[in-house]
Amino acid sequence: MLAAPVDQVPEGPGLIHEPKWDGWRAIAFRDSDGVYLQSRAGRNLTTYFPDITRAIRSAIPAGAVLDGELIVWERGRTNFAQLQRRITAGRGLLRLARDCPAHYVLFDVLADAGGEVVLDLPLFERRARLERLLADAPPTLTLTPQTTDMRQVSDWLIHWTVATGIEGVVTKRLAGRYEPGRRGWSKFRTRVFTEAIVGGVTGSLRNPDTALLGRFDRRGKLRYTGRTHPLTVEQRADLAAALSPLRPLQRRGGTVVHPWPQPLPAAWSGQLDRPEPLRYVQVEPTAVVEIDADVAFEHQRWRHRVRFSRTRPDMSIYDVPLVLGEEKGYYGEA
């Protein structure tokens, strides 16, 4: 079952709210032979999470089918990059699982012990069954919090997003059945308005299609931090007026042209299925823009594309916050 995006958290009788975790959605099938973990896209994740499959085998009876989110904690916060490392760890997978263990945060049950299908039961009954299944489970199998109290929801959105890395709130109907493939839940993503420096664009200087963004790290190096959604006609004109062509700096031993490679490496996108390297127009990194971003990031980059709001000619590039995770109080520690 899926969730449709909304612009605000729904309120009303018969609704329940849960944190939206920043991880990989996965269905766990516990049969008599073992455990099978399946991603939302249908990919087999079983071999990448031996710690989770071991916990499910030890605590969950055969026949049960669970729905939840795979996450990895690091210094008290979810770390999406550590999930991706599971795919590429190779022979180091067991060591990685020991050093950075995963958690399976559970929020639904599709089949109970013995294989009893419970899709048609209301959510509050499925939740009660899930609680019983997890009664003696190890801490790596975690029941997600739920609340009907909007004050608790506000606390999650104001404090948990920064402190623990949740992405927002998912809202469900207490009496709702589980409908695979249907967007019967609602999801509200926490978003922040902040600033970034434009280091390049796709399209052209006069007609930019998207902006490639950066921020300085503590050593003064401009680091790539993400890309915007395609710009509107008005946004293209606004940004184009602020862009300057790159002015290479002549230095002894060669020419320094730009802090980022050309083309932009595919790995910088942060996606599991990596696209091709991205060719772009390098610009003088002097333009500051205001953006609307969610709280999901890894490798000090926004994982999802951000929304361009406007240029900020009143701001210096040195007024922009440091790269993600290095700015005090902003997605990380000082």
Side-chain angles (χ1 to χ4, degrees):
M1 193 164 177
L2 305 174
V6 293
D7 293 330
Q8 61 183 21
V9 180
E11 298 185 52
L15 297 179
I16 196 82
H17 310 283
E18 303 171 356
K20 185 183 186 305
W21 298 97
D22 185 19
W24 284 348
R25 179 83 176 274
I27 302 289
F29 299 85
R30 172 66 166 105
D31 57 35
S32 57
D33 296 327
V35 178
Y36 181 82
L37 292 176
Q38 179 179 294
S39 75
R40 174 178 163 179
R43 184 173 185 175
N44 184 357
L45 300 176
T46 310
T47 58
Y48 305 120
F49 293 90
D51 42 351
I52 297 300
T53 57
R54 182 169 56 249
I56 293 174
R57 281 198 308 270
S58 69
I60 304 301
V65 181
L66 309 175
D67 192 356
E69 196 93 0
L70 293 164
I71 64 172
V72 172
W73 291 102
E74 186 175 55
R75 292 183 296 177
R77 198 180 195 280
T78 58
N79 189 321
F80 194 86
Q82 290 291 0
L83 285 175
Q84 293 183 306
R85 288 185 62 193
R86 294 288 181 114
I87 304 298
T88 59
R91 294 180 179 179
L93 176 62
L94 293 179
R95 182 176 66 252
L96 180 62
R98 182 187 66 244
D99 295 341
C100 298
H103 286 71
Y104 191 24
V105 183
L106 292 151
F107 48 73
D108 220 321
V109 56
L110 286 61
D112 207 340
E116 179 190 358
V117 177
V118 295
L119 300 178
D120 290 332
L121 293 181
L123 173 61
F124 70 88
E125 289 192 25
R126 300 198 309 273
R127 172 78 175 197
R129 294 191 179 218
L130 181 59
E131 290 176 352
R132 288 195 292 270
L133 285 173
L134 298 176
D136 298 317
T140 50
L141 304 181
T142 304
L143 186 68
T144 195
Q146 282 188 337
T147 188
T148 58
D149 186 349
M150 294 305 295
R151 292 172 298 180
Q152 180 66 61
V153 171
S154 296
D155 183 61
W156 290 346
L157 294 174
I158 295 171
H159 300 114
W160 284 34
T161 48
V162 173
T164 66
I166 70 166
E167 293 185 297
V169 171
V170 176
T171 303
K172 305 174 180 180
R173 289 184 297 112
L174 277 167
R177 60 186 296 268
Y178 191 101
E179 301 176 271
R182 181 174 177 269
R183 293 188 180 274
W185 301 332
S186 300
K187 61 180 177 182
F188 172 81
R189 287 184 183 273
T190 303
R191 305 193 68 86
V192 294
F193 282 92
T194 187
E195 296 81 31
I197 303 163
V198 180
V201 296
T202 60
S204 66
L205 279 174
R206 293 186 176 181
N207 189 29
D209 180 46
T210 66
L212 306 184
L213 307 173
R215 283 180 167 181
F216 291 114
D217 63 19
R218 292 182 185 273
R219 295 174 298 278
K221 180 180 179 181
L222 185 67
R223 303 276 294 277
Y224 173 77
T225 55
R227 184 180 177 187
T228 68
H229 286 288
L231 307 176
T232 66
V233 173
E234 293 79 9
Q235 290 171 341
R236 291 177 186 224
D238 181 21
L239 180 58
L243 297 177
S244 301
L246 187 68
R247 298 189 297 272
L249 299 174
Q250 298 293 334
R251 291 185 179 177
R252 182 179 300 176
T255 301
V256 178
V257 293
H258 199 275
W260 306 338
Q262 174 72 279
L264 207 66
W268 286 20
S269 70
Q271 299 300 313
L272 187 60
D273 298 317
R274 294 176 178 175
E276 294 297 317
L278 178 67
R279 297 205 67 84
Y280 66 105
V281 179
Q282 296 177 331
V283 303
E284 194 71 18
T286 56
V288 176
V289 295
E290 183 179 87
I291 56 171
D292 175 6
D294 63 30
V295 296
F297 73 95
E298 78 270 359
H299 302 304
Q300 298 182 305
R301 305 180 190 122
W302 287 290
R303 190 164 71 251
H304 307 131
R305 291 202 190 189
V306 305
R307 300 171 185 168
F308 176 95
S309 295
R310 56 175 176 154
T311 58
R312 290 295 305 269
D314 57 315
M315 289 185 66
S316 161
I317 58 174
Y318 303 107
D319 295 329
V320 174
L322 295 179
V323 71
L324 299 170
E326 294 192 5
E327 178 72 7
K328 183 176 181 180
Y330 188 91
Y331 299 163
E333 301 170 346

